[in-house]
Amino acid sequence: MFKLILALTLLSGTAFAQSRTRISFNKDWKFFLGDEPNAKSLAYNDLKWRKLTLPHDWSIEGKFDEKNPAKPEGGGLPTGIGWYRKEFIAPANFKDRLITVEFDGVYKNSEVWINGQYLGKRPYGYSSFSYEISKFLKAGKNSIAVKVDNSAQPDSRWYSGSGIYRNVWLTSAAKVSIKHNGTFVKTFLISGDKGQSNESRKLKPGESIASVNAEIEIENKFKTKGVYKILTTILDDKNSQLQKKEWPLNTSETSITMMISGLGIANPKLWSVDHPTMYKLVVEIAQADGKIIDQYTTPFGVRDFNFDAVKGFSLNGKPMKILGVCLHHDLGALGAAVNVRAMERQLEIMKAMGVNAIRTAHNPPAPEFLDLCDKMGFLVMDEAFDMWAKKKTKNDYHLDFPAWHKRDLEEMIKRDRNHPSIILWSIGNEIREQFDSTGIAITKELVGIVKNLDKTRPVISALTETKAEKNFIYQANALDIYGLNYNHKLYKDFPINYPGVKFLATETTSALETRGFYDTADTIRRWPKDGKTKFTEGNNEWSASAYDNVSAYWGSTHEETWAAAKKYDHVSGLFVWTGFDYLGEPLPYPWPARSSYFGIVDLAGFPKDSYYMYQSEWTNKPVLHILPHWNWKQGKSVEVWAYYNNADEVELYLNGKSLGKKSKQGDDLHVHWNVSFEPGTLKAVSRKSGKDVLIREVKTAGDPAKIELIADRKNIKADGKDLSFVTVRVLDAAGNVVPDADNLVDFQVEGVGFIAGVDNGFQASLEPFKANYRKAFHGLCLAILQSTEKTGTIKLTASSAGLASSSIIIKTGK
Ligand code: GAL
């Protein structure tokens, strides 16, 4: 490899040209569930195979069954082997171009053939990878075949999905071109506020400059000799050109890394969670005659962050706590199949709760997820592995770790290192090697791999062994920050036990809740009680109380955890396990439970009550939320809770009669009253300095009478991907949600759309996700409508025996 160090040169004004094409390669695939080795050849007849558009997850289409090899821990859905084939015409001038097929993720053990020629295997199902295919292509028809083998189970400790579940792209670039994921844009902020100066002058307070350096890898597979120019252009968030420069490039080597320094942005708008401003670096390669032969755009942001052992985290000089959640990658009823709108909705729901950070548990996410975090303003802890060489399950990645970890980790860093959202690289979650001395060498090696590619971000690992002398990952002395999972009682004395060590609560809580289910609030339960006792404490409704009074024994309730994390500045932040329920890991319940109880939001996207505790603490918007519902037996003593903020007190009324005023004291995160139930209206009023801030009412509901449909968006894009999430509410005649309604709702769709999935958030429902019906659960269910590429309207009608039906119209447009 040949390295060029360049300094400032000339300005140039060449216009951008369409020199590189990167098209979606998702359409017109054929799919066969089962093994079909002959399918790799061009001549194979796949006429009988199912036609589909990627991304695709065959597991989510299957039937729940306790006997499925993935077990309830893996979601209880089928796995197995599947084949995908696609016939296509090679891109124009393919012989003179570099043609690459890029897979964002295939779960797992993918093997790819072009025209019967083997391209390679990729075991890790969460890695993105690509193959350069020019030399295998021919004029006219070509075929690509992908075998996916997810048959060896158990594997991931959660639902993985099966298939080509992320996007596929086809890129055509010039023979001399910028490598896929071959740029690294680094910014460094010089600020007048800190009395700093740049090369030419001292900056005044209020002035700043971002110095921008870029590492650009240029590929010259055919060793073409020539004299070229590299043009670099910085665009601002409105796509206005800020700076354009030109650099010489002599080729002959197959791979050239150019280090470009001296670019800059005067008074940049900083990327932050509230104002996530993005810039772009456009790199072009021009021939000697000026013709642009390649163009590659790298979005980036300018921000500055710091972890401090005493003061915690700060972003752009301002102290802030990392208020994070852990998220697995499944999208509920849509399974693992990537859908940008579904990911965006999850993030919108998190943002509204006050979340400012996401931990991608426990694997690299889809690239679009990181684009959304950049755009929407989330900090990200990007995690590589859930295990190293020592297994967590029989067939997990430990089998491939020895041969593949270097490549998988390197490619994750190279793919992701331009995202301003990413502030932490995690090399692993609760890795077994923390308990034995092999952990030292592996930690050092992995940290070395990361630092070799990115020295601008700290490296962390989520640890559970709390005794420093016994924790071999910690003993490696290579990590930048101590990441602790659970053990919130250790937060207080951390600075005494680990003086000078930076600290982050990488995983917390593991509270268990079912939306809409309330079990007496008086005691806190640990389910299961400990590691030795069989779990028997549950109820025959496979539910956990939404009073925030149940957690796993290694965890804590939401309130216990947040009260501890909130108190200490040295706790840089926390990542609550988890933001959403996810498929698999249905702890503590046995079958038919098949998805997790840990979410602050259920699998369908409906918030559980704790959501509002966080919202009252993590946002400034006024919050008043009362629980539970108001349908109980006459005379039952019911504990009524209120989460609130921006107020001094809350007064509760039952049928107009005051039950008293309450204020949070000390570490309290809610107030409560014991109320003897009588039907009617429970009303809470929050007040500040005697003035009403918010009023909330819950009424005793009568029998189910009608259906109400509420779409999150009534206008969606006619792009075949966009979604409208329609909440179905079962109401009584007066319009109150019926809290125990479990009516079976049938859906009918007319027009230019279809049902992509249905759900109700119940963790033990065995109804299919791909269906045109769903039972309500505690009064709610969900239908996810997907557009086609036709513009027009989608009409959804929901009906149920004995209830007045309801319809809604969604418009789709270009
Ligand atoms: C943690 C683990 C998570 C999840 C969680 C459940 O120990 O890191 O992946 O299993 O427990 O409480």
Side-chain angles (χ1 to χ4, degrees):
M1 192 179 295
F2 172 59
K3 287 206 169 182
L4 269 173
I5 312 285
L6 295 175
L8 292 175
T9 44
L10 307 166
L11 278 167
S12 144
T14 328
F16 293 150
Q18 271 301 322
S19 45
R20 163 190 292 256
T21 56
R22 184 171 189 260
I23 56 162
S24 167
F25 208 48
N26 286 341
K27 279 193 186 163
D28 301 324
W29 285 79
K30 293 286 198 71
F31 173 66
F32 176 77
L33 185 56
D35 199 4
E36 187 61 16
N38 295 333
K40 56 174 88 87
S41 74
L42 175 61
Y44 183 83
N45 184 342
D46 62 15
L47 223 62
K48 293 207 177 107
W49 288 22
R50 173 177 156 200
K51 197 176 165 194
L52 52 74
T53 300
L54 303 176
H56 173 242
D57 169 10
W58 80 71
S59 294
I60 204 70
E61 299 169 346
K63 278 203 181 97
F64 286 109
D65 192 330
E66 192 179 4
K67 293 195 201 74
N68 275 329
K71 308 248 173 82
E73 287 70 24
L77 287 164
T79 43
I81 296 178
W83 278 81
Y84 296 83
R85 284 188 97 250
K86 176 180 162 81
E87 294 185 348
F88 64 101
I89 304 293
N93 309 326
F94 64 90
K95 283 195 180 131
D96 301 322
R97 309 278 292 173
L98 280 179
I99 313 293
T100 309
V101 56
E102 299 163 15
F103 293 87
D104 288 348
V106 181
Y107 209 91
K108 64 179 247 185
N109 285 319
S110 64
E111 290 179 274
V112 184
W113 292 261
I114 292 273
N115 298 331
Q117 295 278 338
Y118 190 60
L119 296 181
K121 177 167 181 166
R122 195 71 186 208
Y124 197 32
Y126 302 111
S127 279
S128 298
F129 56 95
S130 61
Y131 297 105
E132 202 272 297
I133 58 172
S134 323
K135 66 169 179 282
F136 303 112
L137 293 175
K138 48 197 195 64
K141 202 167 80 175
N142 290 267
S143 82
I144 180 167
V146 182
K147 178 185 177 187
V148 183
D149 187 348
N150 191 21
S151 57
Q153 296 290 331
D155 171 26
S156 287
R157 296 182 300 109
W158 52 87
Y159 173 82
S160 62
S162 308
I164 309 181
Y165 71 105
R166 292 182 183 162
N167 288 308
V168 183
W169 308 93
L170 189 72
T171 300
S172 166
K175 283 185 167 174
V176 178
S177 54
I178 292 138
K179 233 182 180 163
H180 177 51
N181 295 331
T183 59
F184 184 21
V185 182
K186 287 177 269 193
T187 66
F188 180 73
L189 194 66
I190 310 162
S191 159
D193 295 335
K194 293 190 200 157
Q196 292 170 323
S197 49
N198 79 338
E199 276 157 34
S200 52
R201 69 190 171 90
K202 196 168 177 322
L203 297 168
K204 295 198 191 99
E207 286 181 340
S208 63
I209 283 194
S211 93
V212 179
N213 298 336
E215 232 173 272
I216 301 165
E217 277 184 82
I218 291 150
E219 182 142 58
N220 182 18
K221 267 232 161 94
F222 302 90
K223 287 202 178 186
T224 313
K225 283 199 181 142
V227 178
Y228 297 88
K229 279 181 207 154
I230 295 289
L231 309 170
T232 58
T233 307
I234 297 179
L235 303 177
D236 70 8
D237 53 337
K238 311 253 163 11
N239 278 330
S240 303
Q241 183 175 313
L242 296 184
Q243 189 187 37
K244 184 156 191 163
K245 291 194 170 182
E246 208 178 286
W247 321 79
L249 169 73
N250 290 312
T251 61
S252 66
E253 305 291 318
T254 52
S255 180
I256 304 152
T257 303
M258 289 186 62
M259 310 291 239
I260 289 192
S261 60
L263 303 177
I265 305 171
N267 299 316
K269 289 192 213 160
L270 302 186
W271 185 95
S272 69
V273 295
D274 298 323
H275 301 284
T277 309
M278 295 293 292
Y279 291 88
K280 288 190 193 94
L281 177 71
V282 181
V283 182
E284 293 168 295
I285 304 178
Q287 289 178 169
D289 62 3
K291 186 175 172 220
I292 305 289
I293 58 163
D294 194 27
Q295 188 199 93
Y296 193 94
T297 301
T298 308
F300 69 97
V302 182
R303 89 280 185 269
D304 196 24
F305 67 87
N306 188 43
F307 284 88
D308 184 280
V310 177
K311 292 189 256 169
F313 181 74
S314 59
L315 181 63
N316 302 325
K318 288 192 204 110
M320 70 179 261
K321 237 194 214 335
I322 295 173
L323 306 173
V325 292
C326 303
L327 288 182
H328 273 313
H329 69 304
D330 78 60
L331 297 168
L334 305 177
V338 158
N339 180 289
V340 173
R341 173 56 200 159
M343 295 192 291
E344 184 184 52
R345 170 183 180 249
Q346 284 197 334
L347 289 172
E348 281 170 359
I349 294 169
M350 292 293 103
K351 190 95 188 174
M353 169 179 138
V355 171
N356 64 22
I358 308 288
R359 173 186 181 205
T360 66
H362 301 297
N363 45 260
E368 294 84 359
F369 186 83
L370 297 171
D371 294 340
L372 286 167
C373 289
D374 285 346
K375 190 175 104 184
M376 297 170 75
F378 286 95
L379 303 165
V380 175
M381 171 170 157
D382 196 355
E383 189 150 77
F385 306 119
D386 190 43
M387 75 300 291
W388 295 346
K390 290 202 151 65
K391 69 177 168 204
K392 286 190 177 169
T393 70
K394 189 166 166 237
N395 294 299
D396 68 22
Y397 180 72
H398 80 282
L399 299 170
D400 302 303
F401 183 86
W404 285 90
H405 68 273
K406 183 165 187 286
R407 187 155 168 203
D408 283 323
L409 184 57
E410 276 177 355
E411 291 183 7
M412 165 181 135
I413 307 291
K414 289 189 75 174
R415 189 196 73 167
D416 293 350
R417 62 189 171 169
N418 290 306
H419 291 279
S421 54
I422 297 177
I423 53 156
L424 287 161
W425 300 118
S426 167
I427 53 171
N429 171 59
E430 299 188 353
I431 296 295
R432 295 285 183 252
E433 281 84 345
Q434 62 187 315
F435 308 115
D436 81 79
S437 59
T438 61
I440 296 186
I442 305 180
T443 306
K444 285 186 180 158
E445 188 208 343
L446 298 182
V447 173
I449 291 170
V450 178
K451 297 279 178 188
N452 193 32
L453 292 167
D454 180 15
K455 292 187 183 59
T456 72
R457 294 172 175 93
V459 184
I460 199 167
S461 182
L463 306 175
T464 43
E465 173 51 69
T466 54
K467 294 197 184 65
E469 68 285 2
K470 285 195 181 164
N471 190 323
F472 292 94
I473 293 183
Y474 181 71
Q475 289 301 329
N477 209 9
L479 296 167
D480 299 299
I481 298 171
Y482 192 107
L484 179 67
N485 282 9
Y486 303 96
N487 298 292
H488 67 285
K489 289 186 181 144
L490 303 183
Y491 297 173
K492 178 167 167 279
D493 289 336
F494 189 84
I496 299 168
N497 297 329
Y498 295 80
V501 178
K502 300 167 181 179
F503 177 73
L504 177 67
T506 33
E507 188 175 318
T508 70
T509 317
S510 278
L512 304 163
E513 291 174 329
T514 298
R515 174 185 54 78
F517 179 84
Y518 303 93
D519 201 353
T520 45
D522 51 358
T523 51
I524 288 181
R525 293 137 224 193
R526 307 295 175 200
W527 283 4
K529 202 160 62 196
D530 52 43
K532 294 174 215 116
T533 325
K534 196 168 183 290
F535 172 71
T536 50
E537 302 94 313
N539 49 70
N540 55 16
E541 295 183 56
W542 287 276
S543 293
S545 171
Y547 271 121
D548 188 18
N549 56 345
V550 195
S551 84
Y553 69 85
W554 54 88
S556 40
T557 65
H558 293 286
E559 291 197 1
E560 286 172 328
T561 322
W562 172 236
K566 176 181 175 177
K567 221 178 253 173
Y568 309 108
D569 286 347
H570 65 265
V571 180
S572 303
L574 77 170
F575 286 96
V576 181
W577 190 267
T578 45
F580 277 74
D581 280 346
Y582 52 92
L583 287 158
E585 208 174 26
L587 186 118
Y589 281 107
W591 191 259
R594 47 60 175 169
S595 60
S596 89
Y597 291 74
F598 299 117
I600 301 166
V601 174
D602 77 12
L603 198 69
F606 304 136
K608 304 176 189 174
D609 297 286
S610 311
Y611 182 91
Y612 302 96
M613 185 281 283
Y614 289 107
Q615 200 176 47
S616 71
E617 287 282 304
W618 290 5
T619 75
N620 292 323
K621 60 187 160 207
V623 173
L624 174 61
H625 176 78
I626 50 173
L627 59 143
H629 56 75
W630 209 236
N631 277 51
W632 301 96
K633 285 211 178 94
Q634 183 74 33
K636 182 181 162 63
S637 171
V638 182
E639 196 161 308
V640 175
W641 286 30
Y643 297 121
Y644 72 94
N645 64 6
N646 298 357
D648 314 316
E649 61 182 26
V650 179
E651 187 162 8
L652 188 70
Y653 302 83
L654 178 57
N655 296 329
K657 194 173 143 245
S658 173
L659 302 177
K661 296 173 184 168
K662 300 265 170 146
S663 301
K664 291 187 270 194
Q665 309 293 326
D667 290 346
D668 288 353
L669 294 166
H670 72 268
V671 288
H672 74 272
W673 297 259
N674 287 316
V675 183
S676 171
F677 178 76
E678 61 181 63
T681 303
L682 196 63
K683 177 168 121 174
V685 183
S686 61
R687 297 197 187 96
K688 192 174 179 100
S689 313
K691 277 203 185 126
D692 290 3
V693 178
L694 288 173
I695 299 177
R696 294 282 179 264
E697 284 186 346
V698 194
K699 292 185 179 171
T700 306
D703 290 338
K706 56 187 178 191
I707 292 174
E708 181 187 34
L709 299 179
I710 305 166
D712 68 338
R713 292 182 315 148
K714 284 192 160 177
N715 290 289
I716 63 173
K717 279 190 230 111
D719 60 1
K721 299 177 212 148
D722 208 0
L723 305 171
S724 179
F725 287 81
V726 183
T727 299
V728 182
R729 309 206 311 166
V730 178
L731 307 179
D732 69 2
N736 302 301
V737 174
V738 181
D740 61 349
D742 61 355
N743 307 60
L744 177 66
V745 181
D746 287 305
F747 299 110
Q748 201 200 331
V749 178
E750 292 158 72
V752 289
F754 60 97
I755 293 180
V758 291
D759 194 6
N760 59 19
F762 180 35
Q763 293 111 339
S765 165
L766 297 183
E767 292 173 291
F769 290 121
K770 303 279 179 194
N772 57 359
Y773 62 90
R774 192 72 172 187
K775 282 178 85 168
F777 179 63
H778 293 298
L780 306 180
C781 63
L782 176 80
I784 308 169
L785 295 177
Q786 185 164 345
S787 66
T788 63
E789 291 183 5
K790 290 201 184 110
T791 57
T793 56
I794 312 171
K795 183 178 177 192
L796 174 73
T797 303
S799 51
S800 181
L803 308 187
S805 60
S806 179
S807 294
I808 194 165
I809 299 220
I810 310 297
K811 285 191 187 136
T812 79
K814 290 289 173 192

